[in-house]
Structures are given as C-alpha cells and as structure tokens.
Amino acid sequence: MLPMSPPLVGSIPSIPPSSLDLEAAIRQMRHEKNAVILAHYYQEPDIQDLADFVGDSLELSRKAAATDADMIVFCGVKFMAEVAKILSPQKKVLLPDMRAGCSLETSCPPASFKAFREAHPDHVALTYINCSAEVKALSDIIVTSSNAEAIIRQIPENQEIIFAPDWHLGQFLIQKTGRPMLLWQGACMVHERFSEEGLVRLKTRHPQAAIIAHPECPAPILRHADHVGSTSSLIAFTRNTPHQTYIVATELGILHQMRLASPEKTFLDVPGLDSTCACNACPYMRMNTVEKLYQCMATEQPEIILPEALRLAALRPLETMLAMSPPPVRA
Ligand code: 13P
Ligand code: SF4
C-alpha cells in the first residue's frame, strides 16, 4: 500500500497526486466529514467496495432518508442523488460527476410530460423514479422496479393510470398486473440494446443456465427470462437458487455483487446489439470514478442543490411511494 500524502483537506490539487492511496484517503475523509457513501449496483467494482451501502433505487432512497451522516456521497446517477437530497434536505449531497444523467430522464422532458398529464386529467400519474425532480414534481406516485407492481395493485380498479417514462417497464407491468396503463414512450439506452440473438446463443451453449433480466429490457428479452426483477431482486435470485450458471440481462456492474455473494457460480453478461461497443455498460454510471469520488469528497463539490419549492413538490409523490411500498426484505 502506498503512503498517504497529507493534507487530505485544505488545498486539494485538481488531479490527485499519483502517490496518494485514494481508497485510504476516501475512507479517512468519510470518517472526518461524517459522510456516508451510497452506491448503486451499476457502479465500478472499486466504487462498490468503498461504499457503506450498495443497493437498488428503492433501498438507496430508504438509506438516504434514514442516515444520520452529515454528508451523503452518492455514487450513482443524478436522479438518484436528487432523490437523496429531496428526502434528506438538511444533508450535503454530493455526486462525483454531475453529468451522470440517465437516458430515461432525457426521454421525458418536464414540459412534454406536463402536456401529457394535462391531456389526461382523470389519470393518476405513476412515474418511474428514473426521471428528473421536475417530472417527479408533476407526478402523483413514484415507483421503482421493486415496488411498482405492489403499488399498482393498491390503486382502485376504476382509476385510470398514466405511466412514464419507461415504455418497456410499463408493458411488463401491464402484463404482470392486468391493469391497462397509458404509456410514455421512453427507454433505457442500455437495456433496450441487448441482443436477443446473443442471449439465445448463450442459452444454447449453456442450456442449464438460468436467464435473469431487469424489467427495463424489451419484451423479446424478457420472454426468455426465468426471473425478472429489480437489481436487488436479481442478486437475491442468484444467491437463493441452485443454478450453477446465470445469464444476466442488465447492466454489467451488477456482476460484481453476484460474484461476491456466490463465488462458485458462473455469471454471463448478455451482449449488446452492436458487437463493437460495450453496450451493456451504462455510460452515465461509468462517469463516476474513484478519482472523482476522492475529488468530490475533498472539495465537497459538485453538490446537489434544488430550489425548495421544487424539492417539496417532488417530495410528495416520493413520500406516497414510501408509504405504499412493501417493507424492506433485507437489513
Ligand atoms: P433498480 O431500481 O432495479 O436498481 O434499477 C435502477 C436502474 O437505473 C436500472 O437501469
Ligand atoms: Fe438510466 Fe439505463 Fe443507466 Fe439505468 S442503466 S441509469 S435506466 S441509462
């Protein structure tokens, strides 16, 4: 291990010195600043290993709401860090790279969503958490992939629903619950690009393997799946079922926790449509690096700042989500 270069706080160079043990420096700042590092499963393994908690969107929201840390360092994408700020306004919330967006968020501009809502005034607006704070503020209930089905089942039968922004998740939920919903036409650029042909080829070579998929995948991928669920649910499935091999149709960062939980098992990632690109890596999640994590903790920038009126408007549908969610299934 390389020696640590003092000082860790104060005048911080924009490029960390190469002699600095970044992991040790991050751990020391976390202690000194009473910070908590939250990471999504799609982050690089070295970031996941540094985090205090790694989870799916719902679990990360709950952690952000419950933490007694002074600072939340969110290793994920911007909408997730915004949720942390909305639920924990008194905390300083940092995101290592403010450009870490989400294609689903981009596919649902607030002005267009507002017009969509206004065109359907009798519908309740159920909105996937992968959207901007502005779109949340225009919604009635936020959902994640782990609680959407349970929340839809609590909405009275005669109540019409609009669902945004993920069309594939919406289709999956309609099929699962039998509830018609008017769908926004958004999609995730990662999950939409998995190759069905590549998936079938893997299954042909590994006929005993279980196929697992995130519900942001299109129906031609989901129809092959033995299990469909949120990132946490996919990891739990690999831990709790006896298959030796799993074919995984979601962002490849998730393989890290699967391999840690079941080192004796084999995990195969589904290729993207274009064999020349790493299509199954989310380019937004990949914008966070250990170097940027160090830098953001040292400088306490970039910080998520939301106008209070917007925060309060977005808080309402998030609180409704938390109240309607089934209890957590893990500690
Ligand atoms: P989860 O809520 O299942 O972690 O999904 C988040 C996400 O962004 C999937 O692309
Ligand atoms: Fe957004 Fe897709 Fe990346 Fe998830 S994987 S953060 S939905 S772009």
Side-chain angles (χ1 to χ4, degrees):
M1 190 181 285
L2 293 166
M4 198 147 68
S5 324
L8 293 175
V9 288
S11 114
I12 303 294
S14 55
I15 298 172
S18 56
S19 62
L20 190 62
D21 179 340
L22 286 181
E23 276 84 3
I26 288 166
R27 288 195 179 96
Q28 185 173 328
M29 283 191 284
R30 172 173 56 193
H31 174 70
E32 288 172 355
K33 296 180 183 228
N34 189 26
V36 65
I37 303 175
L38 304 181
H40 189 263
Y41 292 122
Y42 294 166
Q43 293 290 278
E44 296 278 5
D46 51 2
I47 292 184
Q48 293 189 37
D49 291 346
L50 275 166
D52 296 287
F53 181 80
V54 189
D56 71 11
S57 305
L58 179 61
E59 291 165 342
L60 290 166
S61 305
R62 283 179 161 141
K63 279 282 168 194
T67 183
D68 55 9
D70 295 319
M71 180 189 286
I72 299 172
V73 187
F74 209 108
C75 299
V77 290
K78 190 170 167 220
F79 78 81
M80 296 177 176
E82 281 181 348
V83 169
K85 185 68 185 176
I86 293 164
L87 294 171
S88 271
Q90 69 285 12
K91 320 275 184 217
K92 183 174 267 195
V93 178
L94 306 176
L95 178 66
D97 192 324
M98 204 50 92
R99 297 168 307 160
C102 170
S103 54
L104 275 169
E105 174 178 342
T106 312
S107 72
C108 193
S112 315
F113 181 71
K114 187 165 183 282
F116 182 58
R117 272 228 74 170
E118 284 168 359
H120 307 285
D122 298 334
H123 289 56
V124 70
L126 208 62
T127 307
Y128 191 33
I129 198 164
N130 296 38
C131 64
S132 63
E134 288 79 3
V135 167
K136 287 184 177 74
L138 292 163
S139 304
D140 295 309
I141 312 171
I142 303 302
V143 298
T144 76
S145 56
S146 63
N147 60 18
E149 185 185 338
I151 288 178
I152 290 170
R153 293 192 191 283
Q154 295 171 60
I155 297 174
E157 288 285 329
N158 57 353
Q159 173 63 61
E160 294 185 291
I161 303 171
I162 53 177
F163 184 83
D166 190 353
W167 191 79
H168 298 299
L169 175 61
Q171 289 279 15
F172 170 75
L173 291 167
I174 290 171
Q175 199 197 2
K176 209 70 215 267
T177 62
R179 280 299 285 274
M181 297 194 293
L182 209 50
L183 302 181
W184 186 268
Q185 304 274 320
C188 161
M189 63 189 289
V190 178
H191 291 85
E192 197 173 51
R193 293 187 62 76
F194 285 124
S195 157
E196 185 185 9
E197 195 185 319
L199 172 66
V200 171
R201 204 177 311 122
L202 281 175
K203 181 68 177 174
T204 309
R205 286 188 198 149
H206 304 274
Q208 306 301 330
I211 299 176
I212 58 176
H214 194 278
E216 287 175 17
C217 293
I221 296 289
L222 295 182
R223 71 189 169 95
H224 296 283
D226 298 293
H227 178 67
V228 177
S230 76
T231 48
S232 280
S233 158
L234 297 181
I235 294 169
F237 186 82
T238 63
R239 204 187 296 124
N240 301 330
T241 56
H243 304 276
Q244 187 50 47
T245 304
Y246 295 84
I247 298 170
V248 184
T250 192
E251 212 273 356
L252 83 171
I254 200 172
L255 301 181
H256 181 55
Q257 294 298 328
M258 291 177 175
R259 289 179 176 135
L260 285 178
S262 310
E264 74 290 0
K265 298 183 179 179
T266 303
F267 300 97
L268 305 169
D269 56 313
V270 178
L273 284 171
D274 179 352
S275 56
T276 61
C277 81
C279 306
N280 55 6
C282 172
Y284 298 109
M285 290 279 184
R286 295 284 171 267
M287 284 178 180
N288 295 326
T289 62
V290 172
E291 287 74 17
K292 289 182 201 169
L293 171 57
Y294 163 82
Q295 202 68 36
C296 104
M297 289 186 75
T299 60
E300 304 190 8
Q301 290 292 331
E303 181 183 356
I304 301 282
I305 308 277
L306 293 171
E308 185 59 4
L310 173 61
R311 188 191 74 79
L312 287 173
L315 177 63
R316 186 184 35 81
L318 275 167
E319 285 184 334
T320 307
M321 170 188 87
L322 293 173
M324 294 176 83
S325 296
V329 289
R330 74 175 202 183

Short mmCIF file of all heavy atoms in Angstrom, two decimals, residues 40 42 76-77 79-80 101-105 128 130 166 187-191 214 216 250-251 281-285, ligand 2:
data_model
loop_
_atom_site.label_atom_id
_atom_site.label_comp_id
_atom_site.label_asym_id
_atom_site.label_seq_id
_atom_site.Cartn_x
_atom_site.Cartn_y
_atom_site.Cartn_z
N HIS A 40 -24.89 2.58 -6.27
CA HIS A 40 -25.78 1.67 -6.99
C HIS A 40 -24.97 0.49 -7.51
O HIS A 40 -23.76 0.58 -7.71
CB HIS A 40 -26.46 2.42 -8.16
CG HIS A 40 -27.55 1.60 -8.79
ND1 HIS A 40 -27.34 0.85 -9.93
CD2 HIS A 40 -28.84 1.38 -8.43
CE1 HIS A 40 -28.46 0.22 -10.24
NE2 HIS A 40 -29.39 0.52 -9.34
N TYR A 42 -24.68 -0.65 -10.33
CA TYR A 42 -24.08 -0.48 -11.65
C TYR A 42 -22.75 0.28 -11.61
O TYR A 42 -22.15 0.53 -12.65
CB TYR A 42 -25.04 0.27 -12.58
CG TYR A 42 -26.32 -0.43 -12.94
CD1 TYR A 42 -27.38 0.27 -13.53
CD2 TYR A 42 -26.51 -1.79 -12.72
CE1 TYR A 42 -28.56 -0.35 -13.87
CE2 TYR A 42 -27.70 -2.41 -13.06
CZ TYR A 42 -28.73 -1.69 -13.64
OH TYR A 42 -29.90 -2.29 -13.98
N GLY A 76 -23.87 7.10 -8.13
CA GLY A 76 -24.96 6.59 -8.96
C GLY A 76 -25.19 7.65 -10.01
O GLY A 76 -24.24 8.33 -10.42
N VAL A 77 -26.44 7.83 -10.44
CA VAL A 77 -26.71 8.88 -11.42
C VAL A 77 -27.48 10.02 -10.76
O VAL A 77 -27.93 9.91 -9.62
CB VAL A 77 -27.43 8.31 -12.67
CG1 VAL A 77 -26.48 7.45 -13.48
CG2 VAL A 77 -28.67 7.54 -12.31
N PHE A 79 -30.40 11.52 -10.98
CA PHE A 79 -31.76 11.46 -10.42
C PHE A 79 -31.74 10.77 -9.04
O PHE A 79 -32.54 11.09 -8.16
CB PHE A 79 -32.75 10.80 -11.39
CG PHE A 79 -32.69 9.29 -11.46
CD1 PHE A 79 -33.31 8.50 -10.51
CD2 PHE A 79 -32.02 8.66 -12.49
CE1 PHE A 79 -33.26 7.12 -10.57
CE2 PHE A 79 -31.96 7.28 -12.57
CZ PHE A 79 -32.57 6.51 -11.60
N MET A 80 -30.81 9.82 -8.85
CA MET A 80 -30.73 9.11 -7.56
C MET A 80 -30.21 10.06 -6.48
O MET A 80 -30.71 10.06 -5.34
CB MET A 80 -29.79 7.91 -7.69
CG MET A 80 -30.29 6.84 -8.66
SD MET A 80 -29.09 5.49 -8.81
CE MET A 80 -30.01 4.38 -9.89
N GLY A 101 -26.12 11.45 -16.02
CA GLY A 101 -27.58 11.53 -16.21
C GLY A 101 -28.19 10.15 -16.41
O GLY A 101 -27.72 9.17 -15.84
N CYS A 102 -29.23 10.09 -17.22
CA CYS A 102 -29.93 8.81 -17.46
C CYS A 102 -30.75 9.00 -18.72
O CYS A 102 -31.44 10.02 -18.86
CB CYS A 102 -30.82 8.49 -16.27
SG CYS A 102 -31.95 7.12 -16.55
N SER A 103 -30.69 8.04 -19.63
CA SER A 103 -31.41 8.20 -20.90
C SER A 103 -32.93 8.21 -20.68
O SER A 103 -33.67 8.83 -21.45
CB SER A 103 -31.02 7.11 -21.90
OG SER A 103 -31.19 5.83 -21.33
N LEU A 104 -33.39 7.56 -19.61
CA LEU A 104 -34.83 7.61 -19.34
C LEU A 104 -35.24 9.02 -18.91
O LEU A 104 -36.29 9.53 -19.31
CB LEU A 104 -35.19 6.61 -18.24
CG LEU A 104 -35.45 5.19 -18.73
CD1 LEU A 104 -35.52 4.20 -17.57
CD2 LEU A 104 -36.73 5.13 -19.56
N GLU A 105 -34.40 9.65 -18.10
CA GLU A 105 -34.68 11.03 -17.68
C GLU A 105 -34.72 11.94 -18.92
O GLU A 105 -35.65 12.75 -19.07
CB GLU A 105 -33.61 11.50 -16.70
CG GLU A 105 -33.76 12.96 -16.34
CD GLU A 105 -32.73 13.45 -15.32
OE1 GLU A 105 -32.10 12.63 -14.63
OE2 GLU A 105 -32.59 14.68 -15.21
N TYR A 128 -41.89 6.34 -12.93
CA TYR A 128 -40.69 5.59 -12.56
C TYR A 128 -39.67 6.57 -11.99
O TYR A 128 -39.52 7.69 -12.50
CB TYR A 128 -40.16 4.92 -13.83
CG TYR A 128 -39.08 3.89 -13.66
CD1 TYR A 128 -39.00 3.07 -12.55
CD2 TYR A 128 -38.12 3.72 -14.67
CE1 TYR A 128 -38.00 2.11 -12.43
CE2 TYR A 128 -37.11 2.77 -14.56
CZ TYR A 128 -37.06 1.98 -13.43
OH TYR A 128 -36.06 1.03 -13.32
N ASN A 130 -36.66 6.90 -12.33
CA ASN A 130 -35.65 7.35 -13.30
C ASN A 130 -36.18 8.53 -14.10
O ASN A 130 -36.54 8.42 -15.28
CB ASN A 130 -35.28 6.21 -14.26
CG ASN A 130 -34.64 5.03 -13.58
OD1 ASN A 130 -35.02 4.67 -12.46
ND2 ASN A 130 -33.67 4.43 -14.22
N ASP A 166 -40.63 4.85 -18.73
CA ASP A 166 -40.11 3.65 -19.38
C ASP A 166 -41.22 2.78 -19.99
O ASP A 166 -41.97 2.11 -19.27
CB ASP A 166 -39.29 2.82 -18.39
CG ASP A 166 -38.52 1.69 -19.08
OD1 ASP A 166 -38.73 1.48 -20.29
OD2 ASP A 166 -37.71 1.03 -18.42
N ALA A 187 -37.19 4.95 -23.06
CA ALA A 187 -36.48 3.67 -22.93
C ALA A 187 -35.08 3.92 -22.38
O ALA A 187 -34.52 5.01 -22.53
CB ALA A 187 -36.39 2.96 -24.26
N CYS A 188 -34.52 2.89 -21.76
CA CYS A 188 -33.13 2.94 -21.30
C CYS A 188 -32.22 2.51 -22.44
O CYS A 188 -32.41 1.44 -23.02
CB CYS A 188 -32.96 2.00 -20.10
SG CYS A 188 -31.23 1.58 -19.82
N MET A 189 -31.22 3.31 -22.71
CA MET A 189 -30.32 3.03 -23.84
C MET A 189 -29.49 1.76 -23.64
O MET A 189 -29.01 1.18 -24.60
CB MET A 189 -29.37 4.21 -24.05
CG MET A 189 -28.46 4.46 -22.88
SD MET A 189 -27.50 5.98 -23.00
CE MET A 189 -26.36 5.55 -24.28
N VAL A 190 -29.35 1.32 -22.40
CA VAL A 190 -28.58 0.09 -22.12
C VAL A 190 -29.49 -1.13 -22.29
O VAL A 190 -29.19 -2.04 -23.07
CB VAL A 190 -28.00 0.12 -20.68
CG1 VAL A 190 -27.25 -1.16 -20.38
CG2 VAL A 190 -27.12 1.35 -20.50
N HIS A 191 -30.60 -1.14 -21.58
CA HIS A 191 -31.48 -2.32 -21.60
C HIS A 191 -32.15 -2.52 -22.95
O HIS A 191 -32.49 -3.64 -23.32
CB HIS A 191 -32.51 -2.21 -20.48
CG HIS A 191 -31.88 -2.36 -19.12
ND1 HIS A 191 -31.31 -1.30 -18.45
CD2 HIS A 191 -31.68 -3.45 -18.34
CE1 HIS A 191 -30.80 -1.73 -17.29
NE2 HIS A 191 -31.01 -3.03 -17.21
N HIS A 214 -33.61 -7.48 -16.04
CA HIS A 214 -34.24 -6.30 -15.43
C HIS A 214 -35.46 -5.93 -16.27
O HIS A 214 -35.40 -6.04 -17.52
CB HIS A 214 -33.23 -5.15 -15.39
CG HIS A 214 -33.65 -4.03 -14.49
ND1 HIS A 214 -34.53 -3.05 -14.88
CD2 HIS A 214 -33.31 -3.75 -13.19
CE1 HIS A 214 -34.72 -2.21 -13.87
NE2 HIS A 214 -33.99 -2.62 -12.83
N GLU A 216 -36.52 -3.27 -17.38
CA GLU A 216 -36.32 -2.22 -18.41
C GLU A 216 -35.99 -2.85 -19.77
O GLU A 216 -35.93 -2.14 -20.77
CB GLU A 216 -35.19 -1.28 -18.00
CG GLU A 216 -35.55 -0.34 -16.86
CD GLU A 216 -34.37 0.49 -16.40
OE1 GLU A 216 -33.38 0.60 -17.13
OE2 GLU A 216 -34.44 1.04 -15.28
N THR A 250 -28.83 -7.33 -17.64
CA THR A 250 -28.90 -5.98 -17.09
C THR A 250 -27.48 -5.41 -17.11
O THR A 250 -26.56 -6.07 -17.59
CB THR A 250 -29.53 -5.94 -15.68
OG1 THR A 250 -29.82 -4.58 -15.34
CG2 THR A 250 -28.62 -6.51 -14.60
N GLU A 251 -27.33 -4.19 -16.60
CA GLU A 251 -26.02 -3.52 -16.68
C GLU A 251 -24.94 -4.37 -16.00
O GLU A 251 -25.17 -4.93 -14.92
CB GLU A 251 -26.15 -2.16 -16.00
CG GLU A 251 -25.29 -1.08 -16.57
CD GLU A 251 -23.89 -1.00 -16.01
OE1 GLU A 251 -23.57 -1.77 -15.08
OE2 GLU A 251 -23.12 -0.17 -16.50
N ALA A 281 -22.79 -1.57 -20.67
CA ALA A 281 -22.26 -0.71 -19.60
C ALA A 281 -22.94 0.64 -19.72
O ALA A 281 -22.94 1.25 -20.79
CB ALA A 281 -20.75 -0.55 -19.75
N CYS A 282 -23.55 1.10 -18.61
CA CYS A 282 -24.25 2.39 -18.65
C CYS A 282 -23.21 3.51 -18.70
O CYS A 282 -22.42 3.67 -17.75
CB CYS A 282 -25.14 2.55 -17.43
SG CYS A 282 -25.86 4.20 -17.29
N PRO A 283 -23.17 4.31 -19.77
CA PRO A 283 -22.13 5.34 -19.87
C PRO A 283 -22.26 6.40 -18.78
O PRO A 283 -21.27 7.02 -18.40
CB PRO A 283 -22.37 5.95 -21.26
CG PRO A 283 -23.77 5.59 -21.62
CD PRO A 283 -24.09 4.31 -20.91
N TYR A 284 -23.47 6.59 -18.28
CA TYR A 284 -23.67 7.60 -17.22
C TYR A 284 -23.11 7.09 -15.88
O TYR A 284 -22.40 7.80 -15.18
CB TYR A 284 -25.14 7.94 -17.08
CG TYR A 284 -25.73 8.55 -18.32
CD1 TYR A 284 -26.62 7.84 -19.12
CD2 TYR A 284 -25.35 9.82 -18.72
CE1 TYR A 284 -27.15 8.40 -20.27
CE2 TYR A 284 -25.87 10.40 -19.87
CZ TYR A 284 -26.77 9.67 -20.65
OH TYR A 284 -27.28 10.22 -21.79
N MET A 285 -23.44 5.85 -15.55
CA MET A 285 -22.92 5.29 -14.29
C MET A 285 -21.39 5.27 -14.33
O MET A 285 -20.73 5.48 -13.30
CB MET A 285 -23.43 3.85 -14.12
CG MET A 285 -24.91 3.77 -13.81
SD MET A 285 -25.22 4.10 -12.05
CE MET A 285 -26.99 3.83 -11.97
FE1 SF4 B 2 -30.57 5.23 -16.82
FE2 SF4 B 2 -30.35 2.97 -18.20
FE3 SF4 B 2 -28.20 3.98 -17.00
FE4 SF4 B 2 -30.21 2.86 -15.53
S1 SF4 B 2 -28.86 1.83 -16.98
S2 SF4 B 2 -29.17 4.81 -15.13
S3 SF4 B 2 -32.00 3.49 -16.77
S4 SF4 B 2 -29.36 4.94 -18.70
#
